[in-house]
Structures are given as C-alpha cells and as structure tokens.
C-alpha cells in the first residue's frame, strides 16, 4: 500500500567500471532477488524487475570499446540471474544521442543486444536532438517506432537468440582481448596523462559549454550552474562528449579502437584480422560497434582538432599528435575489417552529407578558434564589452557547429 504501481528499478551503473566488477552484476541482482522481503514485494508487482544500464559514465571511465563490451557482458549476467530466479527482466538502456553515450540507430542496437535480454520488453531513453530527428513529424515518428518495434519483435524470437548466442560464443574471446587493450590506451591518455585535463580545458569550449543551461542538470556533479571549468572527475558525460564534438574530435566514440586492433593483429597475424572481419560481418554486436565507430571517425577532422589543441601550447600539440596517430590506426582498422576503400562507403548518403557540410563547419571552427584564442590569451579584459562580445561569438559558434554536425552530447 502506498507504493507506486511500477516495476522496481535497480540502477547498477557503478558496476561497469572494470572487468573485475562484471560478476557483481549477477551477484548483486541474485542477492537482491533472494531477499525474502524484497521478493515478496516483487511478487506483488508480478515478479517483474527493471535494471538500468548507464552508457555515458561507463564510456567516460573506460572508453568506447571496453564500455560497450562490459555492458554487453553485464546484460548476459543479468539475464542469467533473472532466469535463475524466475522473474521477468526489463533492461532500461540509458542511452544518449551521441555515439559516445550509447547513441546510434536504435533498431541496430536492439538487434545487437545479447540473447534473452529483450524478450519482448524494451525501455530506452531518447534525448536532445534525437527527439527532433526521430519524432518531429508524424511520418518520422511512425517510421522510428516501426523500426524499433520491428527490431524488438525480431530480437525476441528463439531463432534470433540462438544465432546471437552462437555469434557471441565465437566472438567473445576476441572481445576479451580487444576491450582491455582499448581501455588501457584510452585511460593512458584521458586519466593517466598529467597534462590532459589542462589541455582539454584550454583547447575546447568546455568553459562556455559549462555556462550554458542546456540540460536538466549542471555540467558537473556537486555544483550549481557555473561558467567555471569543472574537473574531469566531476564533469558530466554530456558536456564531456559535447566538447569533443565541438572540436570535431569525437574522441569518446572511437579512441582506443585502433590500438586494440593493432595489438590483436600483432598476436594473431593476418588470420586474426580475417577473424575480426568475419565477426564484423556476422555478429550484430560487433557489427554495430564497428559501424558506429566508423561514423564517428568519418566525422573527425584531425587537422581541425590540431587547430584547437594548439590553443594549449606545446602540450596541446603533443596530444594532437597522439589523437592523429590513433585516428589513423582506427581508420585503418575499420577499413581492414570491412574491406572498404574509404570510410562510409557503405553509407554514401551520409558520406556525401558530411562532404557538403564540411566547408561551413570549417569556417565556424576558424571563428571559434580565433575567439577562444583571444579569450585564453587574456587580451580582452574581464567585464569589458570586447570580452562579452567574444563570449557571445563563441556561444554562436557552439550553436552553429552543433547544428552542422547534428550532435551535442
């Protein structure tokens, strides 16, 4: 009595920060379901349990490849725990609009889910510009819902589950090698490089983004609205991804992939690379992982990134070289696995769209870099009309670039 008439929800986002925590997903859910009081409560709700997966902070913590694989394995563990307890599991996917926050085509993501994790029940978030892109008119909304419902029905069939389970069995060993290698490469830059946080603050418009009231929460945890640059530790995932989108780097959606594939090829030779190619063709999870990274890499412009990072001086230039090298490795890995000659050869409409938008985005970038450079150099005094005008100019370029790349965070 007095309890809301909804399924109990369990948020286990913190579990996905390391491979060692993977078994905790199953253990915690199993322990919760074994508690007599909680199980009685659950029984009164029809033995239905909801568990939310967080894509944003998992990615910010461990990088694109590792976060996606850990989330996949965690879903397998949750399905097993729910099956053992005889309860109906609904997995709530807390996806953002950007690829670095779990975004991408929804129907592909549903079909790429682990065996047994859909079972006719799906819940996921739609955020930001994704709402306009998918639901701004009746025809778009109907098409989007058609695709998601269709994928949900297909992903709930025994035939699909058997095929996905077999593909995962064949590919798990490869991902168990790729994910740690990618995570190490990502953390070496983002969390272990002593200059990275300072470079990030100087080279991106994160200060201005943090001052914009774009979302429902402040840019950093434990703070109110502020134009101060948050620490990397407290910075929320939305402004983190948005800042990298602005400088055309899209780092959260691919960094570490190239290093991981190179390490795998070094251990397994050409046969290993062919194995990854077969996985990209036949395993929905790996195919979506590769396709989404391909889109992010195609949207990345190392030359533009270098212009921004130069604002951070010699350390920024050093980071720019690291990003350019990893971008080259990652592009090469995608092309080798897919057999394409260029990124997005399989999606010519998007390929052409990026080509058409690039000149306008490049012009906006030049304006943003120039304005940020003058602000960073302190040539405009605090409280002066010139500084206010520069801040307004940066805000306008942020809006323009977001519209041009069709993404925020």
């Amino acid at each position: 009595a007095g309890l809301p008439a909804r399924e109990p929800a369990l948020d286990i986002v913190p579990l996905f920060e390391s491979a060692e925590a993977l078994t905790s997903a199953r253990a915690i859910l199993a322990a919760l379901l074994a508690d007599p009081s909680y199980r009685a409560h659950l029984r009164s709700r029809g033995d239905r349990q909801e568990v939310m997966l967080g894509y944003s902070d998992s990615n910010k913590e461990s990088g694109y490849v590792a976060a996606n694989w850990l989330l996949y394995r965690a879903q397998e563990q949750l399905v097993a725990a729910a099956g053992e307890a005889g309860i109906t599991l609904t997995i709530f996917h807390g996806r953002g609009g950007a690829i670095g926050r779990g975004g991408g085509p929804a129907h592909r993501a549903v079909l790429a889910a682990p065996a047994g994790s859909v079972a006719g029940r799906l819940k996921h978030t739609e955020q930001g510009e994704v709402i306009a892109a998918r639901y701004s008119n009746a025809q778009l909304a109907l098409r989007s819902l058609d695709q998601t419902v269709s994928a949900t029905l297909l992903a709930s069939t025994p035939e699909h589950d058997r095929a996905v389970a077999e593909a995962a069995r064949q590919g798990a060993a490869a991902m168990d090698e790729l994910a740690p290698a990618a995570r190490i490469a990502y953390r070496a830059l983002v969390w272990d490089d002593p200059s990275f946080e300072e470079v990030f603050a100087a080279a991106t418009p994160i200060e201005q983004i943090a001052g914009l009231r774009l979302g429902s929460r402040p840019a950093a945890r434990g703070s109110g609205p502020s134009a101060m640059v948050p620490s990397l530790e407290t910075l929320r995932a939305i402004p983190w991804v948005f800042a990298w989108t602005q400088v055309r780097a899209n780092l959260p959606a691919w960094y570490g992939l190239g290093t991981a594939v190179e390490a795998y090829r070094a251990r397994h030779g050409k046969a290993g690379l062919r194995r990854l190619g077969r996985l990209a063709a036949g395993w929905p999870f790996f195919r979506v992982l590769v396709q989404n990274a391909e889109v992010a890499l195609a949207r990345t412009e190392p030359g533009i990134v270098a212009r921004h990072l130069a604002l951070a001086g010699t350390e920024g230039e050093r980071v720019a070289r690291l990003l350019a090298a990893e971008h080259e490795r990652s592009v090469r890995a995608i092309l080798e696995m897919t057999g394409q000659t260029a990124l997005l050869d399989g999606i010519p409409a998007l390929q052409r769209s990026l080509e058409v938008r690039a000149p306008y985005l490049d012009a906006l970038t030049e304006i943003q870099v120039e304005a940020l450079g003058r602000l960073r150099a302190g040539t405009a005094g605090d409280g002066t009309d010139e500084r206010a005008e520069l801040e307004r100019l940066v805000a306008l370029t942020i809006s323009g670039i977001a519209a041009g790349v069709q993404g925020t965070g």
Side-chain angles (χ1 to χ4, degrees), residues 64 99 108 286-296 334:
Y64 173 72
I99 291 171
R108 291 198 321 218
F286 195 67
R287 181 164 60 246
V288 169
L289 184 82
V290 170
Q291 287 174 336
N292 285 344
E294 180 183 1
V295 171
I334 295 286

Side-chain angles (χ1 to χ4, degrees), residues 318-392:
R318 178 183 63 82
V319 171
R321 290 192 293 272
L322 291 174
L323 288 176
E326 184 64 15
H327 183 269
E328 183 180 347
R329 283 190 290 267
S330 299
V331 170
R332 184 167 58 247
I334 295 286
L335 297 182
E336 289 174 339
M337 287 188 291
T338 62
Q340 299 175 168
T341 58
L343 294 177
L344 300 182
D345 275 353
I347 319 175
L350 179 56
Q351 192 179 59
R352 177 60 180 157
S353 176
L354 294 178
E355 291 174 358
V356 169
R357 283 181 272 149
Y360 305 96
L361 286 167
D362 293 349
L364 285 169
T365 291
E366 285 300 317
I367 296 170
Q368 186 178 98
V369 169
E370 176 67 22
L372 285 175
R374 292 172 64 182
L375 287 170
R376 302 284 191 266
T379 56
D382 290 338
T384 65
D385 291 341
E386 182 185 1
R387 184 173 184 84
E389 187 59 28
L390 286 172
E391 292 282 3
R392 178 177 177 274

Side-chain angles (χ1 to χ4, degrees), residues 72-344:
Y72 189 94
R73 296 298 300 274
Q75 290 177 76
E76 293 180 325
Q77 297 289 327
L78 293 169
V79 168
E84 291 168 358
I87 64 108
T88 299
L89 176 69
T90 299
I91 295 181
F92 179 7
H93 299 268
R95 298 181 182 275
I99 291 171
R101 296 186 54 238
H107 66 286
R108 291 198 321 218
V110 174
L111 291 172
S117 64
V118 179
R121 300 178 61 82
L122 178 70
K123 184 174 182 179
H124 67 91
T125 52
E126 297 277 44
Q127 299 179 13
E129 63 274 1
V130 174
I131 296 174
R134 295 179 181 169
Y135 307 104
S136 57
N137 63 50
Q139 289 80 11
L140 277 177
L142 183 60
R143 177 60 173 162
S144 297
L145 292 172
D146 275 349
Q147 290 179 327
T148 304
V149 171
S150 172
T152 302
L153 293 173
L154 289 171
S156 302
T157 63
E159 295 81 4
H160 179 84
D161 275 349
R162 284 194 294 269
V164 167
E166 177 59 22
R169 186 188 67 78
Q170 295 180 12
M175 282 305 305
D176 283 341
E177 290 188 45
L178 292 171
R183 185 177 190 268
I184 289 169
Y186 173 84
R187 289 190 62 85
L189 175 67
V190 174
W191 295 105
D192 300 335
D193 189 317
S195 301
F196 181 81
E197 186 169 343
E198 183 178 344
V199 169
F200 173 69
T204 72
I206 185 59
E207 180 179 352
Q208 286 72 26
I209 290 171
L212 298 174
R213 300 187 181 184
L214 294 177
S216 59
R217 296 175 294 181
R221 289 178 173 82
S223 68
S226 171
M228 300 298 291
V229 179
S231 70
L232 189 58
E233 189 71 37
T234 61
L235 183 67
R236 293 188 187 275
I238 291 177
W240 162 252
V241 172
F242 192 9
W244 287 115
T245 303
Q246 282 287 303
V247 303
R248 317 271 290 282
N250 302 297
L251 177 149
W254 58 267
Y255 195 88
L257 174 64
T259 294
V261 172
E262 278 201 355
Y264 189 84
R265 179 173 49 191
R267 283 190 295 271
H268 302 282
K270 291 184 178 179
L273 198 58
R274 288 194 295 270
R275 186 180 306 125
L276 294 182
R278 289 193 298 272
L279 291 176
W283 184 13
F285 164 77
F286 195 67
R287 181 164 60 246
V288 169
L289 184 82
V290 170
Q291 287 174 336
N292 285 344
E294 180 183 1
V295 171
L297 287 163
R299 288 174 170 166
T300 300
E301 297 288 347
I304 298 294
V305 178
R307 291 278 290 117
H308 270 277
L309 289 171
L311 295 173
T314 56
E315 283 300 297
E317 292 168 355
R318 178 183 63 82
V319 171
R321 290 192 293 272
L322 291 174
L323 288 176
E326 184 64 15
H327 183 269
E328 183 180 347
R329 283 190 290 267
S330 299
V331 170
R332 184 167 58 247
I334 295 286
L335 297 182
E336 289 174 339
M337 287 188 291
T338 62
Q340 299 175 168
T341 58
L343 294 177
L344 300 182

